[in-house]
Amino acid sequence: MSKLRPTPRAPRLAPEVEEIPLGVRRAAAWSWRLIVVIAASALLIWGLLQVTTIVIPVLIAILLAALLTPIVKVLTRYTFLGRAAASGIALLGLLLVIAGMFTLAGRQLFAQFADIQDKAVTGFQGLVDWATSTFQIDLPMMNAALDEGLDQLQQYSGQLVSGAVTTAAVLGNLATGILVALFTLFFLLSGGAGIWRWVVGLLPPAARVPTHEAFRRGWKALSAYIRTQILVAAVDAIGIAIGMVALGLGSYAVPIWLLVFLFSFVPLVGAIASGVIAVLLVLVLKSWVFALIMLAIVLAVQQIEGNVLQPFLMGKAVELHPLAVFLGVAGGAMIAGIPGALFAIPLIAFVNATLLYVVGRDPSPDLGEDRASAEHFASLTQRRAPAAENGAGTTTATVATPAPAPVTTPASASLDPAPAADLPDSGAAELDEDAPSAQDAPHGPTPEEGQRKDGDGA
């Protein structure tokens, strides 16, 4: 018969602990855990800030990989190219596009540099005349202010020289960062799936598939965000460049297009900064009337972007409230400056989609389950199981001893196994199936035979 054991009671708490309300104890338990998480996160961020020369290029490579991965898949599927060759072609095409844009914009700027310089001097002189006549500022006062500015410039000339040396060091770090980004991008495009599977394979077996599925949702949100930002930036840049052409400044259209395109990757702040630069350029080269027209064009383009393009292109893949975007950009800028403002929103989009899947609200149910990766992770577990069995078999064979001869004992004298109540259901079922049946087991005398023997003895 199975032996019933009483359920063990939890040990009583100390009297001084029991006096504390349960809500306070739970709040304290959550508090120290949150403190540990925040401290670990702060330590991680501090460590990453110490190696920004490597971290920033790697993050840029990840964003570009999310952009170029569809192109690599198309080249691999519909051409004879392998994964590595397709990745090299996509990377080379990206370099050609970037070099072409900067070359074209640089040529136009150098060609119009003299004109910009003359008109800037003329515009500055007109601004000085307007300020003198409006605010009744006499010329000696302005000359004194200019002389004081020159004196300050000479006083801090040593700092300017050190700043130039720092700029040279920054340029060296920039070259290193470009090389790191290019190498990382190539390997992410050619073997990113294998790298990720290796990383997931380091986790416990039960956590591999959920982690992989959550990552797939986050990667889809990140890819959607990058593609949307590129389309939105291109539309903004084209709209403002068309405005420059309409105002008779077509020779500056390409530089302004490139400037607006690059600034648009910084949410909220980038669009405002690029619009201000475009309006100031029109103010210097034309007049304040044309500057007001350019301001209206910039505002119209930004309204179309915010109210039409982003909701339509983003869809449900990236659900971020404007307040989350604003606070993310502000927090990223406070922590890591311009790179923080640039990477804050992609990181928030990735984490948001990942956490939604973890809590049971799948943001992309159309993705389904990646069966190939699930089978791969299952095969990793199966490989470890035979290895463990082989090791256990070798050890058992080494220490095995000959089995003793079977001894027949009555059923009443057989040893009682562990109580069934102490085993899980599956273990109890296996024990019952492996046990011999009542017909096969040796048994003692029946009650009738016992009475007959008692009569004979009497």
Side-chain angles (χ1 to χ4, degrees):
M1 296 177 59
S2 61
K3 299 179 180 178
L4 299 178
R5 296 181 180 178
T7 303
R9 296 182 179 180
R12 294 182 59 86
L13 299 175
E16 59 271 13
V17 177
E18 289 185 348
E19 293 177 357
I20 302 175
L22 180 61
V24 176
R25 280 184 280 168
R26 288 180 177 176
W30 277 102
S31 298
W32 74 260
R33 288 174 173 85
L34 289 176
I35 290 174
V36 172
V37 171
I38 293 173
S41 302
L43 182 62
L44 177 62
I45 293 174
W46 178 83
L48 293 177
L49 291 177
Q50 306 306 311
V51 289
T52 53
T53 307
I54 297 177
V55 173
I56 293 177
V58 170
L59 294 178
I60 293 176
I62 292 174
L63 297 182
L64 294 177
L67 173 65
L68 297 178
T69 297
I71 299 176
V72 175
K73 289 183 178 180
V74 170
L75 292 176
T76 305
R77 182 176 302 176
Y78 297 104
T79 64
F80 60 90
L81 296 174
R83 185 81 181 186
S87 303
I89 291 177
L91 181 59
L92 182 60
L94 176 67
L95 293 177
L96 291 177
V97 170
I98 294 176
M101 289 192 305
F102 277 96
T103 301
L104 184 59
R107 284 185 176 181
Q108 290 197 355
L109 282 178
F110 281 118
Q112 303 294 330
F113 181 75
D115 185 32
I116 294 175
Q117 186 178 8
D118 294 339
K119 290 185 177 180
V121 172
T122 304
F124 179 76
Q125 187 62 41
L127 181 63
V128 169
D129 295 339
W130 175 80
T132 303
S133 59
T134 303
F135 300 102
Q136 302 297 324
I137 301 176
D138 54 355
L139 190 58
M141 184 182 299
M142 295 191 64
N143 291 334
L146 291 175
D147 293 338
E148 184 177 357
L150 292 176
D151 294 338
Q152 294 292 332
L153 184 63
Q154 293 177 358
Q155 181 178 357
Y156 293 101
S157 59
Q159 296 184 4
L160 293 177
V161 173
S162 63
V165 175
T166 305
T167 303
V170 168
L171 292 177
N173 292 335
L174 180 62
T176 303
I178 291 174
L179 292 177
V180 172
L182 292 178
F183 275 97
T184 306
L185 176 59
F186 175 77
F187 287 111
L188 288 179
L189 292 176
S190 60
I195 296 173
W196 171 245
R197 286 184 176 182
W198 177 82
V199 172
V200 177
L202 301 176
L203 300 177
R208 291 171 185 170
V209 174
T211 302
H212 176 67
E213 295 298 333
F215 176 82
R216 291 178 65 212
R217 272 67 180 177
W219 185 258
K220 180 181 178 181
L222 179 62
S223 302
Y225 176 81
I226 296 300
R227 290 194 296 268
T228 301
Q229 280 300 113
I230 288 179
L231 291 176
V232 169
V235 171
D236 284 352
I238 291 174
I240 295 178
I242 291 176
M244 296 288 289
V245 174
L247 294 178
L249 299 173
S251 57
Y252 303 96
V254 175
I256 288 296
W257 181 91
L258 182 60
L259 181 69
V260 175
F261 180 79
L262 295 178
F263 273 59
S264 296
F265 285 97
V266 181
L268 299 179
V269 181
I272 297 175
S274 60
V276 169
I277 293 174
V279 172
L280 290 177
L281 183 62
V282 174
L283 178 63
V284 171
L285 298 178
K286 289 290 187 177
S287 63
W288 64 270
V289 177
F290 287 92
L292 290 178
I293 297 174
M294 191 64 204
L295 178 62
I297 293 174
V298 170
L299 293 178
V301 169
Q302 292 182 357
Q303 289 299 317
I304 293 174
E305 169 207 339
N307 299 323
V308 179
L309 289 179
Q310 285 197 357
F312 176 74
L313 295 176
M314 287 284 188
K316 295 184 178 180
V318 182
E319 297 179 353
L320 294 179
H321 195 274
L323 180 60
V325 175
F326 174 75
L327 294 179
V329 173
M334 291 177 61
I335 294 174
I338 296 178
L342 177 63
F343 296 114
I345 304 307
L347 179 61
I348 292 176
F350 179 85
V351 173
N352 177 55
T354 303
L355 292 181
L356 285 177
Y357 178 81
V358 170
V359 299
R361 298 164 52 191
D362 191 350
S364 303
D366 55 302
L367 284 179
E369 183 180 354
D370 188 0
R371 298 186 179 275
S373 296
E375 293 175 357
H376 171 74
F377 298 139
S379 66
L380 294 180
T381 306
Q382 293 173 359
R383 290 175 191 171
R384 293 183 59 185
E389 292 177 0
N390 293 335
T394 304
T395 306
T396 305
T398 303
V399 299
T401 58
V407 179
T408 304
T409 57
S412 59
S414 61
L415 296 178
D416 189 15
D422 297 337
L423 295 174
D425 295 338
S426 60
E430 293 176 359
L431 184 62
D432 293 338
E433 293 177 358
D434 296 338
S437 62
Q439 298 177 356
D440 300 334
H443 54 83
T446 62
E448 296 177 355
E449 295 176 352
Q451 294 177 2
R452 189 179 304 169
K453 289 181 179 181
D454 293 339
D456 295 341

